CSV table of all heavy atoms in Angstrom, one decimal:
chain,number,residue,atom,x,y,z
S,121,ILE,N,-1.1,28.1,27.7
S,121,ILE,CA,-0.4,28.7,26.6
S,121,ILE,C,1.0,29.1,27.1
S,121,ILE,O,2.0,29.1,26.3
S,121,ILE,CB,-1.2,29.9,26.0
S,121,ILE,CG1,-2.5,29.4,25.4
S,121,ILE,CG2,-0.4,30.6,25.0
S,121,ILE,CD1,-2.4,28.3,24.4
S,122,ALA,N,1.1,29.5,28.3
S,122,ALA,CA,2.5,29.8,28.8
S,122,ALA,C,3.4,28.6,28.7
S,122,ALA,O,4.6,28.8,28.5
S,122,ALA,CB,2.4,30.3,30.3
S,123,LYS,N,2.9,27.4,28.9
S,123,LYS,CA,3.7,26.2,28.7
S,123,LYS,C,4.1,26.0,27.3
S,123,LYS,O,5.2,25.6,27.0
S,123,LYS,CB,2.9,25.0,29.2
S,123,LYS,CG,2.6,25.0,30.7
S,123,LYS,CD,1.9,23.7,31.1
S,123,LYS,CE,1.6,23.6,32.6
S,123,LYS,NZ,0.9,22.4,33.0
S,124,VAL,N,3.1,26.2,26.4
S,124,VAL,CA,3.4,26.1,25.0
S,124,VAL,C,4.5,27.0,24.5
S,124,VAL,O,5.4,26.7,23.7
S,124,VAL,CB,2.2,26.2,24.1
S,124,VAL,CG1,2.5,26.1,22.6
S,124,VAL,CG2,1.1,25.2,24.5
S,125,ALA,N,4.4,28.3,25.1
S,125,ALA,CA,5.4,29.3,24.7
S,125,ALA,C,6.8,29.0,25.1
S,125,ALA,O,7.8,29.6,24.6
S,125,ALA,CB,4.9,30.7,25.3
S,126,LYS,N,6.9,28.1,26.1
S,126,LYS,CA,8.3,27.7,26.6
S,126,LYS,C,8.7,26.4,26.0
S,126,LYS,O,9.8,26.0,26.4
S,126,LYS,CB,8.2,27.6,28.2
S,126,LYS,CG,7.9,29.0,28.8
S,126,LYS,CD,7.8,28.8,30.4
S,126,LYS,CE,7.5,30.1,31.1
S,126,LYS,NZ,7.4,29.9,32.5
S,127,ALA,N,7.9,25.8,25.2
S,127,ALA,CA,8.3,24.5,24.7
S,127,ALA,C,9.4,24.6,23.7
S,127,ALA,O,9.6,25.6,23.1
S,127,ALA,CB,7.0,23.8,24.1
S,128,ALA,N,10.0,23.4,23.4
S,128,ALA,CA,11.1,23.4,22.4
S,128,ALA,C,10.6,23.8,21.0
S,128,ALA,O,11.4,24.2,20.2
S,128,ALA,CB,11.7,22.0,22.4
S,129,TYR,N,9.3,23.5,20.7
S,129,TYR,CA,8.8,23.8,19.4
S,129,TYR,C,8.0,25.1,19.3
S,129,TYR,O,7.3,25.4,18.4
S,129,TYR,CB,7.8,22.7,19.0
S,129,TYR,CG,6.9,22.3,20.1
S,129,TYR,CD1,5.7,23.0,20.4
S,129,TYR,CD2,7.2,21.2,21.0
S,129,TYR,CE1,4.9,22.6,21.4
S,129,TYR,CE2,6.4,20.8,22.0
S,129,TYR,CZ,5.2,21.5,22.2
S,129,TYR,OH,4.4,21.2,23.3
S,130,ALA,N,8.3,26.0,20.3
S,130,ALA,CA,7.6,27.3,20.3
S,130,ALA,C,7.9,28.1,19.1
S,130,ALA,O,7.1,28.8,18.5
S,130,ALA,CB,8.0,28.1,21.6
S,131,GLY,N,9.2,28.0,18.6
S,131,GLY,CA,9.6,28.7,17.4
S,131,GLY,C,8.8,28.2,16.2
S,131,GLY,O,8.3,29.0,15.3
S,132,GLU,N,8.6,26.9,16.1
S,132,GLU,CA,7.8,26.3,15.0
S,132,GLU,C,6.3,26.8,15.1
S,132,GLU,O,5.7,27.0,14.1
S,132,GLU,CB,7.8,24.8,15.1
S,132,GLU,CG,9.2,24.1,15.0
S,132,GLU,CD,9.1,22.7,15.3
S,132,GLU,OE1,8.1,22.0,14.9
S,132,GLU,OE2,10.0,22.2,16.0
S,133,PHE,N,5.8,26.9,16.4
S,133,PHE,CA,4.5,27.4,16.6
S,133,PHE,C,4.3,28.8,16.1
S,133,PHE,O,3.3,29.1,15.4
S,133,PHE,CB,4.2,27.3,18.1
S,133,PHE,CG,2.7,27.3,18.4
S,133,PHE,CD1,2.0,26.1,18.6
S,133,PHE,CD2,2.0,28.5,18.5
S,133,PHE,CE1,0.7,26.1,18.9
S,133,PHE,CE2,0.6,28.5,18.8
S,133,PHE,CZ,0.0,27.3,19.0
S,134,ARG,N,5.3,29.7,16.4
S,134,ARG,CA,5.2,31.1,15.9
S,134,ARG,C,5.4,31.1,14.4
S,134,ARG,O,4.7,32.0,13.8
S,134,ARG,CB,6.3,31.9,16.6
S,134,ARG,CG,6.0,32.2,18.1
S,134,ARG,CD,7.0,33.3,18.6
S,134,ARG,NE,8.3,32.8,18.6
S,134,ARG,CZ,8.9,32.2,19.7
S,134,ARG,NH1,8.2,32.1,20.8
S,134,ARG,NH2,10.1,31.7,19.7
S,135,LYS,N,6.2,30.3,13.8
S,135,LYS,CA,6.4,30.3,12.4
S,135,LYS,C,5.1,29.9,11.7
S,135,LYS,O,4.7,30.4,10.6
S,135,LYS,CB,7.5,29.3,12.0
S,135,LYS,CG,7.8,29.2,10.5
S,135,LYS,CD,8.9,28.3,10.2
S,135,LYS,CE,9.1,28.2,8.7
S,135,LYS,NZ,10.2,27.2,8.4
S,136,GLU,N,4.4,28.9,12.3
S,136,GLU,CA,3.1,28.5,11.7
S,136,GLU,C,1.9,29.4,11.9
S,136,GLU,O,1.1,29.6,11.0
S,136,GLU,CB,2.7,27.1,12.2
S,136,GLU,CG,1.5,26.4,11.6
S,136,GLU,CD,1.7,26.1,10.2
S,136,GLU,OE1,2.8,25.7,9.8
S,136,GLU,OE2,0.6,26.2,9.5
S,137,TRP,N,1.9,30.0,13.1
S,137,TRP,CA,0.7,30.8,13.5
S,137,TRP,C,0.9,32.3,13.7
S,137,TRP,O,0.0,33.0,14.0
S,137,TRP,CB,0.1,30.2,14.8
S,137,TRP,CG,-0.4,28.8,14.5
S,137,TRP,CD1,0.2,27.6,14.9
S,137,TRP,CD2,-1.6,28.4,13.9
S,137,TRP,NE1,-0.5,26.5,14.6
S,137,TRP,CE2,-1.7,27.0,13.9
S,137,TRP,CE3,-2.6,29.1,13.2
S,137,TRP,CZ2,-2.7,26.3,13.3
S,137,TRP,CZ3,-3.7,28.4,12.7
S,137,TRP,CH2,-3.7,27.0,12.7
Side-chain angles (χ1 to χ4, degrees):
I121 297 307
K123 295 182 180 183
V124 180
K126 295 177 181 177
Y129 44 83
E132 299 171 41
F133 201 94
R134 286 191 293 268
K135 181 180 179 181
E136 182 67 33
W137 296 104

